[in-house]
Amino acid sequence: MTERVYNFSAGPAVFPLSVLEQVQRDMLALPGVGASILEISHRSGAFTTIIEDAEKNLRKLLSIPDDYAVLFVQGGSRLQFSMVPMNLLGRGQVADYIITGSWGNYALAEAKKVGETRVAWDGKSTNYDRVPDRAELNLEPQAAYVHYTDNETIQGVEFQSEPQVGDVPLVCDVSSNFLSRPIDVRKYGLIYACAQKNAGPAGVTVVIIRKDLLKRSDPNLPGYLNYDIHAQNNSLWNTPPTFAIYVLKLITEWLLNDIGGLEAMHRRNADKARLLYEEVDRSSGFYAGHAKPQCRSLMNVTFRLPSDELTTQFVAEAKKRNLTELKGHRSVGGIRASIYNAMPLAGVEALRDFMAEFRRKNQK
Amino acid sequence: MTERVYNFSAGPAVFPLSVLEQVQRDMLALPGVGASILEISHRSGAFTTIIEDAEKNLRKLLSIPDDYAVLFVQGGSRLQFSMVPMNLLGRGQVADYIITGSWGNYALAEAKKVGETRVAWDGKSTNYDRVPDRAELNLEPQAAYVHYTDNETIQGVEFQSEPQVGDVPLVCDVSSNFLSRPIDVRKYGLIYACAQKNAGPAGVTVVIIRKDLLKRSDPNLPGYLNYDIHAQNNSLWNTPPTFAIYVLKLITEWLLNDIGGLEAMHRRNADKARLLYEEVDRSSGFYAGHAKPQCRSLMNVTFRLPSDELTTQFVAEAKKRNLTELKGHRSVGGIRASIYNAMPLAGVEALRDFMAEFRRKNQK
């Protein structure tokens, strides 16, 4: 058995071991097919079943209504930052952006290149440590859409429920908490998520879009950037990232069959996150949590140590215990423990125990 | 041992078995890393080595000069059809397109959405069975670039050498014959190839661009569509398709170490294709080759049988012998045998023998 570490990477990130074992088992030839998932045509019967199952499983996990299309595209959230305004933001219209961290700012920067934007709220003044209250949102009632980032991976700030925006279509980047808890898809116009946190390998992005919004896609858009073209062709307008979709399908099976759905997944995630935040809270400030308690992410636990030296030491000593990738994002520093769906409780417990021990040794 | 078929799919397509075995062996944990290639951060040391090796190997195989950048992007050739004109075709300029089959037409259709285009040659009048002579090209000397498709996967028509276009940057879609033979990169301004024929799994596209052309990329382009941004960030502006790049690296190692480079690969490919074209040529018209002999593709061997019934029968009987995916593209019919780099000689011999036997039984 190959030794495996507890990998706290923010993405690409930890996988369920059983899914990796399935990928490994069938790598040379899918059962009954005689060729590897890497080799089969995207138009073969075998792949048709895979992509249909992937969609079916997502619809089941998230209770996606029939009047929403599910698309599998490439280019990550970065390409969605452009595709959303290119498809949904018409001439003479304006789009509202709620900014709760780095990714919201990146999304806004791309939208500005495409059309007119407004900032409905920006958490910069407190260094992106919280999400806005309803009363703080300065929304334009005629906006083409309102965009927000459900979980800011870098800051570790997560919405506990979707913002109230009335009849304006709500567009959400759920990249880093997709499939980590139930969401009410009906409240959204469009949801997108790159897979490499909770849903699969890097290279596939899921877009869930209310079908009436597909009418906004201008036929003169570059073909690959047109949601309506992907929807009309069941994500097979061009060769989709077949392997990534296959693995996403295996992950959704794991969520349905091994975990028991997103309510159960959410409970597990809450239990795991609590262990780390409790350690932060009882540390008398040795571990200084970044996010305000009511906005703490269940996916990315961010905190700082008293000095850069201690931070470096923390990361190095953790690594010796096979607790890896704990360094905070280079733009904010500190520590970030990403504990996505597939991070086992034992990994979080090991980190919690290490945190306690490190504090005992180093707290003055 | 799992039974494997001879898979003549046009892409995604057959892999070297040794590469699949390597992927399988290390799926749970890369040696010395303790985590799967699916799980590691694109900014980790392990992945940095992988993407650097992938580039280094490509540079070695194709003798790519230092004044060319190598990019790994998502979106397939379809997205390149848009990115090429978005980056290279300025206002008031025109781009020339040489059309030798379906993919050239798709590329042209996308370019028309972006700017002004000309058709320098179009093989439609003979149903795309050949490439143009030099004298037939109607080129605009001031064009922003000339685009052509080196191998038309659907028609099975391949250029034997690049068209002569003077000082205008030559842009080439080499998707379906990339790494199948040496090319002189210096003759090109930009080369692009989706990986799923000869270079890896679906989900990564290689772009090789002369660095001076990067200056043409407008900073107001959507970020993901800007070649210059990808070049400045070594393809890590966003999370790249890490697994696909890893497998591409393994394929390039196989080409360098097991095959011995692209000259050797080209000889093998020519030998394999010859077996099938010889069978076509001695069939007294039972197998009617689509491409003119001097333009025959070494990658996609296309021919027709005397009737649709015989075509269906051919595909079905071949499948019983584990020779799969031989049906021609739905837009042209007939038979297409894709015999990319990784198709072993034994697979081609088995198909050749089946073709001979099928003809003996069914030729009147």
Side-chain angles (χ1 to χ4, degrees):
Chain A
M1 175 65 191
T2 319
E3 191 189 28
R4 282 172 50 83
V5 298
Y6 288 122
N7 167 23
F8 294 92
S9 170
V14 58
F15 264 64
L17 183 58
S18 62
V19 168
L20 293 176
E21 286 170 341
Q22 232 178 315
V23 173
Q24 182 177 49
R25 189 192 66 202
D26 296 337
M27 181 49 67
L28 301 195
L30 289 170
V33 176
S36 170
I37 177 62
L38 301 184
E39 303 177 301
I40 62 171
S41 167
H42 55 299
R43 301 199 187 277
S44 64
F47 186 72
T48 303
T49 302
I50 288 168
I51 194 169
E52 286 177 358
D53 284 354
E55 176 174 342
K56 211 179 298 172
N57 292 349
L58 286 175
R59 287 190 181 276
K60 196 165 173 182
L61 283 164
L62 290 162
S63 306
I64 303 172
D66 287 344
D67 58 329
Y68 285 73
V70 177
L71 314 178
F72 300 102
V73 296
Q74 299 180 52
S77 298
R78 290 276 195 178
L79 187 54
Q80 292 311 305
F81 295 168
S82 298
M83 281 177 72
V84 164
M86 288 173 90
N87 283 270
L88 300 186
L89 180 53
R91 272 178 180 279
Q93 290 188 299
V94 64
D96 267 340
Y97 278 72
I98 301 169
I99 311 295
T100 53
S102 304
W103 291 104
N105 273 311
Y106 293 140
L108 175 63
E110 291 301 329
K112 279 181 178 171
K113 294 179 184 171
V114 176
E116 205 189 332
T117 57
R118 288 176 77 255
V119 173
W121 189 80
D122 189 327
K124 191 175 181 185
S125 64
T126 60
N127 200 20
Y128 299 116
D129 65 352
R130 68 181 183 94
V131 306
D133 292 334
R134 186 172 178 173
E136 293 175 294
L137 290 179
N138 168 20
L139 295 164
E140 162 55 50
Q142 301 299 318
Y145 61 85
V146 182
H147 180 282
Y148 81 106
T149 313
D150 207 27
N151 181 64
E152 281 284 358
T153 323
I154 291 176
Q155 282 78 17
V157 168
E158 186 172 17
F159 278 82
Q160 305 307 305
S161 61
E162 64 287 333
Q164 305 296 311
V165 298
D167 290 336
V168 175
L170 189 56
V171 173
C172 184
D173 177 356
V174 290
S175 291
S176 53
N177 61 354
F178 187 53
L179 302 181
S180 74
R181 61 179 189 185
I183 48 173
D184 184 353
V185 174
R186 287 214 171 277
K187 295 197 170 150
Y188 296 87
L190 187 154
I191 294 165
Y192 62 89
C194 57
Q196 67 264 23
K197 318 294 187 182
N198 281 316
V204 63
T205 298
V206 177
V207 176
I208 302 169
I209 181 170
R210 214 174 60 211
K211 287 179 181 168
D212 66 291
L213 293 173
L214 293 169
K215 291 182 201 128
R216 294 197 194 179
S217 299
D218 185 330
N220 287 318
L221 279 174
Y224 196 81
L225 307 186
N226 185 320
Y227 289 132
D228 196 32
I229 286 184
H230 289 290
Q232 281 176 28
N233 292 277
N234 296 318
S235 303
L236 295 172
W237 185 62
N238 72 333
T239 310
T242 46
F243 175 77
I245 292 169
Y246 160 72
V247 179
L248 184 145
K249 188 208 77 149
L250 298 181
I251 298 264
T252 56
E253 285 173 359
W254 173 78
L255 282 167
L256 284 167
N257 304 330
D258 294 23
I259 301 296
L262 297 190
E263 290 281 4
M265 191 73 251
H266 187 209
R267 280 194 299 276
R268 287 194 190 204
N269 286 327
D271 288 346
K272 287 186 290 176
R274 189 180 311 116
L275 291 184
L276 299 185
Y277 287 122
E278 281 174 355
E279 177 57 29
V280 165
D281 288 340
R282 70 174 153 249
S283 75
S284 314
F286 183 76
Y287 298 121
H290 177 75
K292 290 264 182 272
Q294 72 277 15
C295 310
R296 283 170 165 174
S297 169
L298 298 188
M299 300 285 102
N300 313 97
V301 177
T302 53
F303 54 88
R304 285 190 179 71
L305 278 81
S307 71
D308 287 350
E309 290 67 32
L310 279 172
T311 305
T312 305
Q313 196 183 327
F314 181 97
V315 171
E317 290 187 19
K319 194 171 179 187
K320 282 187 199 147
R321 305 193 181 197
N322 283 338
L323 308 170
T324 69
E325 301 286 340
L326 283 161
K327 205 174 154 189
H329 189 271
R330 61 201 187 289
S331 66
V332 297
I335 299 293
R336 172 174 55 175
S338 296
I339 50 171
Y340 297 117
N341 286 353
M343 173 57 68
L345 179 63
V348 176
E349 287 172 341
L351 174 59
R352 187 261 328 260
D353 293 347
F354 169 72
M355 285 172 72
E357 189 190 315
F358 188 86
R359 174 163 68 91
R360 274 196 305 276
K361 282 190 196 158
N362 293 287
Q363 193 167 30
K364 280 169 188 158
Chain B
M1 176 63 192
T2 318
E3 191 190 28
R4 281 171 51 83
V5 298
Y6 288 122
N7 167 23
F8 294 91
S9 170
V14 59
F15 264 64
L17 184 58
S18 63
V19 168
L20 293 176
E21 285 170 341
Q22 231 178 316
V23 173
Q24 182 178 50
R25 188 192 67 202
D26 296 337
M27 181 48 67
L28 300 194
L30 290 169
V33 176
S36 170
I37 177 61
L38 301 185
E39 302 176 303
I40 62 172
S41 167
H42 55 298
R43 302 201 184 275
S44 64
F47 186 74
T48 303
T49 303
I50 288 168
I51 194 169
E52 285 176 358
D53 284 353
E55 176 174 342
K56 212 179 299 172
N57 292 349
L58 286 175
R59 287 189 181 277
K60 196 164 174 185
L61 283 165
L62 290 162
S63 304
I64 302 172
D66 286 345
D67 56 330
Y68 284 73
V70 177
L71 314 178
F72 300 101
V73 296
Q74 299 180 52
S77 297
R78 291 276 195 177
L79 188 54
Q80 292 310 306
F81 295 168
S82 298
M83 281 176 70
V84 164
M86 289 173 89
N87 284 269
L88 301 186
L89 180 53
R91 272 177 180 278
Q93 290 188 300
V94 64
D96 267 339
Y97 278 72
I98 300 170
I99 311 294
T100 54
S102 304
W103 291 103
N105 273 311
Y106 293 139
L108 174 63
E110 290 302 329
K112 279 182 178 171
K113 294 180 185 172
V114 176
E116 205 188 334
T117 57
R118 288 176 75 256
V119 173
W121 189 80
D122 189 328
K124 192 177 181 184
S125 63
T126 59
N127 200 19
Y128 299 116
D129 64 353
R130 68 182 185 93
V131 306
D133 292 334
R134 185 173 179 172
E136 293 174 294
L137 288 179
N138 168 21
L139 295 164
E140 162 55 49
Q142 301 299 320
Y145 61 85
V146 182
H147 181 281
Y148 81 107
T149 313
D150 207 27
N151 181 63
E152 280 284 357
T153 324
I154 291 175
Q155 282 77 17
V157 168
E158 186 172 14
F159 279 81
Q160 304 308 304
S161 61
E162 63 288 332
Q164 305 295 311
V165 297
D167 290 337
V168 175
L170 188 57
V171 173
C172 186
D173 177 357
V174 291
S175 291
S176 54
N177 61 355
F178 187 54
L179 302 181
S180 74
R181 61 180 189 184
I183 50 175
D184 184 354
V185 173
R186 286 214 174 277
K187 295 200 170 148
Y188 296 87
L190 188 154
I191 293 166
Y192 62 90
C194 58
Q196 67 264 22
K197 319 293 187 181
N198 280 317
V204 63
T205 298
V206 177
V207 177
I208 302 169
I209 181 170
R210 213 174 61 211
K211 287 180 181 168
D212 66 292
L213 293 174
L214 293 170
K215 290 182 203 127
R216 294 197 193 177
S217 299
D218 185 329
N220 286 318
L221 279 175
Y224 196 82
L225 307 187
N226 185 319
Y227 289 132
D228 195 32
I229 286 183
H230 289 291
Q232 282 177 28
N233 292 278
N234 297 317
S235 304
L236 295 172
W237 184 62
N238 71 333
T239 310
T242 45
F243 175 77
I245 292 169
Y246 160 72
V247 179
L248 185 145
K249 188 208 76 151
L250 298 181
I251 297 265
T252 56
E253 285 173 357
W254 172 78
L255 282 167
L256 284 166
N257 305 330
D258 295 23
I259 301 295
L262 297 191
E263 290 281 4
M265 191 72 252
H266 187 208
R267 281 194 299 277
R268 287 192 189 207
N269 285 328
D271 288 346
K272 287 186 290 176
R274 190 180 311 115
L275 292 184
L276 299 185
Y277 286 122
E278 281 175 355
E279 176 58 28
V280 165
D281 288 341
R282 71 175 153 247
S283 77
S284 313
F286 183 76
Y287 298 120
H290 177 76
K292 291 262 182 273
Q294 71 277 16
C295 310
R296 282 170 165 175
S297 169
L298 298 188
M299 299 285 103
N300 313 97
V301 177
T302 53
F303 55 87
R304 284 191 179 70
L305 278 83
S307 71
D308 287 350
E309 290 66 34
L310 279 170
T311 306
T312 305
Q313 195 184 326
F314 180 97
V315 171
E317 289 186 19
K319 195 171 176 186
K320 282 186 197 146
R321 302 188 182 202
N322 284 338
L323 308 170
T324 69
E325 301 284 339
L326 284 162
K327 204 175 154 188
H329 189 270
R330 62 200 186 290
S331 65
V332 298
I335 298 294
R336 172 173 55 175
S338 296
I339 50 172
Y340 297 116
N341 285 353
M343 172 57 68
L345 179 63
V348 176
E349 287 171 342
L351 174 58
R352 187 261 328 260
D353 293 347
F354 169 72
M355 284 172 71
E357 188 191 316
F358 187 86
R359 174 163 67 90
R360 275 197 304 278
K361 282 191 197 159
N362 293 287
Q363 195 166 29
K364 282 172 189 156

